[in-house]
Amino acid sequence: MEELKDKNGLTEEQFLAAYRPGDYERPSVAVDTVIFTVTQTKEDNYRKLPGKELKILLIKRGGHPYLGSWALPGGFVNPDETTEQAAMRELKEETGVDNIYLEQLYTFSEPERDPRMWVMSCSYLALADSGKISVEAGDDARQAEWFTVKTCATEEIINELEDGLKKVTEYKLELICGDIILSGKVRHTILRNDRGVKNTYEITENNGIAFDHVRIIIYALERLRGKVKYTDIALNLMPEYFTLTDLQRVYEIILGKEQLKAAFRRKYSVLTEPTDKMTSDAGHRPSRLYRRKWLTE
Amino acid sequence: MEELKDKNGLTEEQFLAAYRPGDYERPSVAVDTVIFTVTQTKEDNYRKLPGKELKILLIKRGGHPYLGSWALPGGFVNPDETTEQAAMRELKEETGVDNIYLEQLYTFSEPERDPRMWVMSCSYLALADSGKISVEAGDDARQAEWFTVKTCATEEIINELEDGLKKVTEYKLELICGDIILSGKVRHTILRNDRGVKNTYEITENNGIAFDHVRIIIYALERLRGKVKYTDIALNLMPEYFTLTDLQRVYEIILGKEQLKAAFRRKYSVLTEPTDKMTSDAGHRPSRLYRRKWLTE
DNA sequence: CTAATAGTGTCTTTAAGACATTATGAA
DNA sequence: TTCATAATGTCTTAAAGACACTATTAG
C-alpha cells in the first residue's frame, strides 16, 4: 500500500508532503448548544410539592447581527478540536460546568442562516442537574439567563396525497425569564412519498431569538421528547438523590402530559435504585429517595 | 429593532454592509453518504426463494490519499447549497437516482481524520430500491461498485464501574464485491457516569477502506438497525410491489436475526396494503403482493 | 382531624413470543 | 405426489393503562 504511486508518480508520503489546500471557499463552523435543566417553582402551601420548570440557557447578543436578541451558547470550532470538544469548551465558559451530558443534534447548513457569511451550525443537546450549575449571569460583557420553556399549542395537519403523505406540525415556543418574553413559531413539514422524505423546519414567527435558533431549540425539544421514552436520558437532569415523584414530574414536563403513577413507577423505577434516605419536613408522608442506576440497557 | 445601534454606532444594515469575514482558519466540509440497497442472490432450486443481500456503494480512489482504497460516495459542500443538497447531488452523479430516502447521520470532526487538511464530514444515510438504481459502474475516471455487507461477530464487554458503566462493542465489518474483500473493525466504547456520556468509535483494523469510512459505515448500520424496529424506514428499500416474506427477509438481513412469521406480520403488515396482484411461476403457493401504505404514525 | 402526597394491588387491554395447522402450485 | 412456501389460528407471556385502596406526615 505504501508503495502505490499516483498518476504523477508520487507515493502517498510524497503527495502529502507536497499537498497545498486549494483556495475554494470554506464555511465557518459553529457549535450551538441547547442546554436544558429543570428547576423548582415556589410553593406557598406547605402541604403541596413545588412545581417543576424546564429551562434553557440563552445569551444576550452584544453586537450585530441580532444585537439585543438572545442566542444559544456557542461559538466557532478551532482546528485542533472536535465539534463536541468545542461545545464542551463553550459550555464551560458559560455555565462553569465541565462534565455534562452532551449529544450531537443536527448540522444546520442553510447558506443564508447567518447574514454575515457562510456559517454551518453543528448543534448539541446538553442536559444538566440545576444544582451543579453556576451560571455567571450578568457577566459584564455577556448576559446569560435561564429561560422557562413553554411550548403551548402544537397544531398538526395531515394531508394524505395520492402517492404519499404531508404532515405539518406547528410549534409555538415561548421563553420566559422575568419580564423578558421571547417567542417563535416553527412549522415542521414532513413530505413523504416514493421519491424520499423531505423534512423542513420553517421559522414562521420570531420575537427576540437570534439567527435560526428557534428552529434548533424546537429540534432539541423533539429529540428530548422522543428519547425520554426509551432511554434513561432524563436522569441527567436529576440530582444525586431524588424521589420517584420528582422523576415523574420531570417526565411530565418534558412530555407535556400527565403520567399515571403506578404505570410510571413500573416502567421507570428500574432506572433507579432505592437508598435508605427519606425526604422530611413536608406536610405529608415522607418519600423515599432514589439514586440513578447504571444500566446495561 | 432595526434602529438598534452597536457600540460603534452602526445599525445592523450598516454593520452587515461593512462586514468582512476574519481570516481565521476554516474547515473544509465534505458530505459522505452510506447508501444501502438490497439485492437478490441466485437460487438454482426452483422451489426455493432467492436470498437477499444488503449492499453499499463504494468508489475506488484514483488519487492520494488512500489511493486504491474504497471510499463512500461524497464530496465537498458548495457555498450555495445545504449539506443535504450536496449529498443528493453527489449521489445523483454516482447512482443516477435523484429522489431517494436521505437522512443526516452525524458530523465527524476529528481534526486528523483527513491527512491532507482539516476536513469535517457531515455523513448521510440513504436507502434505495435496487431496481431504480443505474450504477454507472466502471466509469472511466472513477470505479463504483456495490459491496455486500457482512457484520460477522459483534462482541460486547460490559464493565460496571463504581460510579458508572463502560460498554465496549466490537464490530467486525466485511465488504465483498467479487474478488475484492475489504474489512475493518470498530470498537464502540460507551462510558457513562455522573460526569456525562462519552461515545468513541475507534478504528482498530482497516483493510482497504479509505479515511475513517469504516466508522461511518458502522454508525450507519447501527442507525439503520435501530430505526427499522420502530419506523417504516425499511420500506424505502422495497420495490413498488413486494410480498410480506420479501419484507421479512429485508428485516432479517438488517437485524441479523430470524423473525417469527406470525409475529412479524402482525407488527409490520400495518405498514403495507394488499393489492390484488399475486406472484407466479414459483414452485410453491403464490404469494400476495403488497404495496407501501403511507402512515400518519 | 385534615389535606396532601406515598406507595401498592388488581383488573383490563394490548402487544409480542412460540408454535402448530391448513392451503396451494410447479414440476 | 412432493417440496417449499403462504397464511392464519391459538395459547402463553409480558407490558401498559386505568383506577382504587391503604399509609403517613405536619400542622
Side-chain angles (χ1 to χ4, degrees):
Chain A
M1 181 69 79
E2 284 79 30
E3 293 307 315
L4 280 182
K5 290 179 181 172
D6 69 6
K7 53 182 184 280
N8 300 318
L10 296 176
T11 64
E12 183 158 326
E13 202 175 347
Q14 291 167 336
F15 167 86
L16 289 172
Y19 184 80
R20 294 291 170 270
D23 68 345
Y24 53 86
E25 202 181 337
R26 292 170 176 76
S28 301
V29 177
V31 289
D32 290 299
T33 303
V34 185
I35 173 166
F36 289 101
T37 199
V38 172
T39 57
Q40 303 226 331
T41 57
K42 291 262 183 318
E43 178 55 62
D44 293 328
N45 183 339
Y46 80 99
R47 292 187 181 280
K48 284 198 172 178
L49 286 172
K52 299 221 179 269
E53 288 186 325
L54 188 66
K55 298 204 168 176
I56 64 170
L57 184 71
L58 294 178
I59 317 284
K60 189 168 186 176
R61 286 193 54 81
H64 288 307
Y66 296 100
L67 173 63
S69 289
W70 294 80
L72 292 170
F76 292 105
V77 182
N78 295 327
D80 60 348
E81 62 185 3
T82 62
T83 50
E84 183 161 331
Q85 286 162 349
M88 198 61 102
R89 172 174 54 74
E90 296 282 350
L91 220 48
K92 190 178 181 181
E93 288 171 20
E94 300 298 347
T95 65
V97 180
D98 200 359
N99 293 302
I100 209 172
Y101 178 85
L102 197 63
E103 121 177 16
Q104 196 182 101
L105 259 186
Y106 192 81
T107 299
F108 294 89
S109 61
E110 285 70 17
E112 305 302 326
R113 53 176 298 285
D114 188 309
R116 291 168 295 183
M117 53 179 175
W118 186 19
V119 183
M120 292 186 189
S121 168
C122 186
S123 59
Y124 278 82
L125 165 67
L127 303 177
D129 158 24
S130 61
K132 278 192 201 140
I133 292 168
S134 59
V135 197
E136 278 93 71
D139 190 298
D140 41 318
R142 41 212 284 150
Q143 200 181 335
E145 297 288 355
W146 289 95
F147 285 76
T148 300
V149 178
K150 297 239 162 105
T151 34
C152 3
T154 4
E155 192 192 342
E156 298 204 8
I157 303 145
I158 292 152
N159 288 322
E160 313 216 5
L161 314 172
E162 338 73 79
D163 66 337
L165 194 85
K166 185 183 185 178
K167 185 172 166 186
V168 182
T169 313
E170 286 265 11
Y171 291 97
K172 189 175 182 318
L173 180 73
E174 225 174 41
L175 301 171
I176 302 158
C177 172
D179 294 340
I180 314 166
I181 300 182
L182 315 175
S183 66
K185 283 187 185 171
V186 173
R187 180 179 297 142
H188 180 192
T189 308
I190 310 173
L191 204 78
R192 310 200 311 151
N193 56 29
D194 304 334
R195 278 152 280 133
V197 207
K198 206 175 178 73
N199 269 273
T200 49
Y201 288 83
E202 197 187 335
I203 300 169
T204 55
E205 204 183 298
N206 186 10
N207 301 298
I209 305 167
F211 303 100
D212 58 350
H213 291 186
V214 211
R215 176 167 41 174
I216 302 180
I217 296 166
I218 292 292
Y219 196 93
L221 274 165
E222 277 191 335
R223 172 79 62 96
L224 182 60
R225 285 203 191 109
K227 273 202 147 179
V228 118
K229 286 179 225 158
Y230 65 96
T231 69
D232 63 354
I233 198 177
L235 287 151
N236 296 296
L237 293 164
M238 308 306 290
E240 187 172 2
Y241 298 99
F242 51 87
T243 68
L244 290 183
T245 303
D246 277 339
L247 187 63
Q248 186 176 340
R249 296 289 166 269
V250 169
Y251 272 79
E252 288 171 340
I253 208 170
I254 292 170
L255 295 171
K257 188 166 178 269
E258 293 205 348
Q259 305 294 115
L260 291 166
K261 180 149 74 172
F264 179 85
R265 286 173 180 233
R266 262 202 307 263
K267 186 165 180 192
Y268 296 110
S269 66
V270 294
L271 307 179
T272 68
E273 56 185 16
T275 68
D276 49 11
K277 295 185 168 59
M278 304 288 281
T279 59
S280 56
D281 297 323
H284 47 77
R285 178 170 165 181
S287 179
R288 184 167 298 281
L289 288 165
Y290 289 75
R291 184 197 289 160
R292 180 171 199 167
K293 194 158 90 191
W294 294 99
L295 288 175
T296 314
E297 254 162 291
Chain B
M1 182 69 81
E2 284 79 30
E3 294 307 315
L4 279 183
K5 290 180 181 173
D6 68 7
K7 53 181 184 280
N8 300 318
L10 296 176
T11 64
E12 182 158 327
E13 202 175 346
Q14 290 167 335
F15 167 85
L16 289 172
Y19 185 79
R20 294 292 170 270
D23 67 346
Y24 53 85
E25 201 179 339
R26 293 171 175 79
S28 300
V29 176
V31 289
D32 290 300
T33 304
V34 185
I35 172 166
F36 289 101
T37 198
V38 172
T39 57
Q40 303 224 329
T41 57
K42 290 261 183 317
E43 178 56 61
D44 293 329
N45 183 340
Y46 80 99
R47 290 186 182 280
K48 286 198 172 176
L49 286 172
K52 299 221 180 270
E53 288 186 325
L54 187 67
K55 298 203 168 177
I56 63 168
L57 184 71
L58 294 178
I59 317 284
K60 190 169 184 175
R61 285 194 52 82
H64 288 308
Y66 296 99
L67 173 61
S69 288
W70 294 80
L72 292 169
F76 292 105
V77 182
N78 295 327
D80 60 348
E81 62 185 3
T82 62
T83 51
E84 182 161 332
Q85 285 162 349
M88 198 61 103
R89 172 174 56 72
E90 296 281 351
L91 221 47
K92 191 180 179 179
E93 288 171 18
E94 300 298 347
T95 65
V97 180
D98 201 359
N99 293 302
I100 209 171
Y101 178 85
L102 197 62
E103 122 177 16
Q104 195 182 104
L105 259 185
Y106 192 82
T107 299
F108 293 90
S109 61
E110 285 70 17
E112 305 301 326
R113 53 177 298 284
D114 189 310
R116 291 169 295 183
M117 54 180 173
W118 187 19
V119 183
M120 292 187 188
S121 168
C122 185
S123 59
Y124 278 83
L125 165 66
L127 302 177
D129 158 25
S130 61
K132 278 191 199 138
I133 292 168
S134 58
V135 198
E136 278 94 69
D139 190 298
D140 41 318
R142 42 214 279 150
Q143 202 179 334
E145 297 288 354
W146 289 95
F147 285 75
T148 300
V149 177
K150 297 239 162 106
T151 34
C152 1
T154 5
E155 193 191 341
E156 298 204 8
I157 303 145
I158 294 153
N159 288 323
E160 312 216 6
L161 314 173
E162 339 73 81
D163 66 337
L165 195 85
K166 185 182 184 179
K167 186 172 166 188
V168 181
T169 313
E170 286 266 12
Y171 291 97
K172 188 175 183 316
L173 180 72
E174 224 174 43
L175 301 171
I176 301 159
C177 173
D179 294 339
I180 314 166
I181 301 182
L182 314 175
S183 67
K185 284 187 185 171
V186 173
R187 179 179 299 142
H188 180 191
T189 307
I190 310 173
L191 204 78
R192 308 199 313 151
N193 56 29
D194 304 334
R195 278 151 279 134
V197 207
K198 207 175 177 73
N199 269 274
T200 49
Y201 288 82
E202 197 187 334
I203 300 170
T204 54
E205 204 183 297
N206 186 11
N207 301 298
I209 304 166
F211 303 100
D212 58 351
H213 290 186
V214 211
R215 176 166 45 172
I216 302 179
I217 296 166
I218 292 293
Y219 196 93
L221 274 165
E222 276 192 335
R223 172 79 61 97
L224 182 60
R225 285 203 192 109
K227 273 201 147 180
V228 117
K229 285 179 224 157
Y230 65 97
T231 69
D232 62 354
I233 198 178
L235 288 150
N236 296 297
L237 293 163
M238 308 305 290
E240 187 171 1
Y241 297 99
F242 52 87
T243 68
L244 290 183
T245 303
D246 276 339
L247 186 63
Q248 186 176 338
R249 295 289 166 269
V250 169
Y251 272 79
E252 287 171 341
I253 208 170
I254 291 171
L255 295 171
K257 188 164 177 271
E258 293 206 348
Q259 305 293 114
L260 291 167
K261 181 146 78 170
F264 179 85
R265 286 174 180 231
R266 262 201 307 260
K267 186 165 180 193
Y268 296 109
S269 65
V270 294
L271 308 179
T272 67
E273 56 186 16
T275 67
D276 50 10
K277 293 185 169 58
M278 304 288 281
T279 59
S280 56
D281 298 322
H284 49 76
R285 178 170 164 181
S287 179
R288 183 167 299 280
L289 288 166
Y290 289 75
R291 185 198 288 160
R292 180 171 198 166
K293 194 158 89 190
W294 294 99
L295 288 175
T296 313
E297 253 162 292

